[in-house]
Amino acid sequence: MARLDDAGDVLLAGPAVRAVRTRAREVVFLAGPNGRAAAELLPGVDRVIGWRAPWIDHTPPPVTVQGVQELVGQAGGIDEAVLLTSFHQSALPLALLLRLAGVKRITAISNDYPGSLLDVRHVVDESVDVPEAERMLAVARAAGFELPEGDDGKLAVQRPLPDIAKFTGQWVGVGGVADKGAYVVVHPGTSAPARTWPAERHRQAVRELVEDGHQVVVTGTERDLTAYVASDVAVDLGGVTTFAELAAVIERAGVLVAGNTGPAHLAAAVGTPVVSLFAPVVPAVRWAPYGVPVVLLGDQEAPCRGSRARTCPVAGHPCLSQVTSEQVVKAVRELTQ
């Protein structure tokens, strides 16, 4: 199986992976560098291989013979491939390379004529917005794979998750583990500026959440940002957790406050409600946290709607800049009561 973009995209592939696992001897997941850690957390994945795709990665490498040979070598011995792509991505370049690796049966969405590159061509109406997890599960079904009986089709991660007492020891519950809901997680970073709520708003929201009686944990990879947002009132875990540890931290939270970014989907995978600061550059129907309670904040009818922009195309970033810290606190209350 393959999904070559970011961590959240890979997590949304989880139901499709579990469907394939019902009949596969081994599931090998091909991931990009930004999605590898998420792939390693997916139930049903036996092995992960990584490759940076020049037609998908946000900082695409040049196409080289060496790079192609690397992928062909890693994919040797794979019998069948289910290629999972977003609505704006083509599966055909990867299908071509996997044919060179000897893969005999390939399934993917393609609205373009695939010739001999695909054995199962799944055609969808891209004008209809469908949750991304369901869209990818439909590809697995087109290939002949169904979820096992009793599987609810929600996102999931492998268990057990790591021990996080070193991070949350100050909120010890029964058995030395922080009780579910002992704190609120605020994750201020995103992979694209257009999806980011201003840092000063995050900082103010953290202060107001503390004033409202919540313990707050700030997470992320950008340590300057998390330190600023946490200030002197919240626990700053910026840059100190692995992806699996982040999953465990979010699992124990009552709510996650985050933009449209991987940890929002990680929250869905561990069953934690989300206050979603969602910029409408992509449709919320497709990309909002799947299968958990969500309060969606942000103007979904803003001029940037559907633009897929990574940098805000509208002066003042109105879709998110108009969201107030008070709205975030109110949303957290709604999800915790």
Side-chain angles (χ1 to χ4, degrees), residues 92-124:
L92 298 185
L94 180 58
L96 173 61
L97 299 186
L98 293 180
R99 285 294 194 217
L100 295 177
V103 177
K104 298 179 180 64
R105 186 172 190 260
I106 302 177
T107 300
I109 291 173
S110 182
N111 291 328
D112 297 320
Y113 172 61
S116 61
L117 297 181
L118 299 180
D119 299 286
V120 180
R121 176 192 181 192
H122 184 53
V123 179
V124 299

Side-chain angles (χ1 to χ4, degrees), residues 172-186:
V172 174
V174 177
V177 179
D179 290 330
K180 174 68 175 177
Y183 50 85
V184 172
V185 171
V186 174

Side-chain angles (χ1 to χ4, degrees), residues 34-326:
N34 296 325
R36 180 164 193 151
E40 290 169 348
L41 275 185
L42 290 181
V45 170
D46 298 295
R47 180 163 56 96
V48 178
I49 57 178
W51 192 69
R52 189 186 295 271
W55 61 93
I56 288 180
D57 199 86
H58 302 312
T59 55
V63 178
T64 65
V65 172
Q66 180 181 1
V68 169
Q69 290 174 338
E70 176 191 352
L71 175 61
V72 170
Q74 290 191 95
I78 293 174
D79 298 316
E80 180 170 354
V82 177
L83 311 186
L84 305 174
T85 52
S86 186
F87 69 99
H88 60 276
Q89 298 167 347
S90 173
L92 298 185
L94 180 58
L96 173 61
L97 299 186
L98 293 180
R99 285 294 194 217
L100 295 177
V103 177
K104 298 179 180 64
R105 186 172 190 260
I106 302 177
T107 300
I109 291 173
S110 182
N111 291 328
D112 297 320
Y113 172 61
S116 61
L117 297 181
L118 299 180
D119 299 286
V120 180
R121 176 192 181 192
H122 184 53
V123 179
V124 299
D125 182 354
E126 297 292 16
S127 69
V128 178
D129 288 328
V130 174
E132 190 71 1
E134 296 177 15
R135 184 178 185 274
M136 288 190 277
L137 180 58
V139 180
R141 285 178 169 147
F145 302 101
E146 288 287 346
L147 284 169
E149 185 176 351
D151 191 315
D152 60 10
K154 293 184 179 181
L155 308 192
V157 294
Q158 291 189 33
R159 307 289 179 163
L161 290 171
D163 181 4
I164 56 167
K166 60 185 176 183
F167 303 128
T168 61
Q170 58 267 59
W171 306 302
V172 174
V174 177
V177 179
D179 290 330
K180 174 68 175 177
Y183 50 85
V184 172
V185 171
V186 174
H187 189 93
T190 67
S191 62
R195 302 179 185 184
T196 304
W197 198 42
E200 60 271 18
R201 294 286 177 86
H202 277 101
R203 181 181 170 104
Q204 182 62 29
V206 166
R207 288 192 171 276
E208 293 181 17
L209 285 167
V210 171
E211 290 168 2
D212 203 46
H214 300 281
Q215 302 271 9
V216 178
V217 176
V218 180
T219 60
T221 58
E222 302 151 287
R223 301 191 71 168
D224 290 345
L225 175 62
T226 61
Y228 174 78
V229 169
S231 183
D232 57 351
V233 300
V235 174
D236 177 15
L237 295 185
V240 302
T241 60
T242 66
F243 197 73
E245 288 170 341
L246 177 61
V249 169
I250 293 173
E251 182 182 39
R252 305 311 304 168
V255 176
L256 171 73
V257 177
N260 179 18
T261 187
H265 302 297
L266 195 55
V270 297
T272 296
V274 182
V275 175
S276 179
L277 297 155
F278 199 97
V281 290
V282 294
V285 171
R286 291 179 182 260
W287 296 104
Y290 182 74
V292 292
V294 175
V295 174
L296 200 70
L297 299 179
D299 181 4
Q300 300 306 300
E301 301 299 323
C304 64
R305 182 184 181 195
S307 66
R308 305 206 319 255
R310 294 184 60 78
T311 301
C312 183
V314 182
H317 201 191
C319 68
L320 287 182
S321 64
Q322 295 177 18
V323 176
T324 66
S325 54
E326 290 84 359

Side-chain angles (χ1 to χ4, degrees), residues 1-16:
M1 299 194 70
R3 180 82 199 210
L4 287 166
D5 36 13
D6 293 333
D9 309 299
V10 170
L11 290 168
L12 286 162

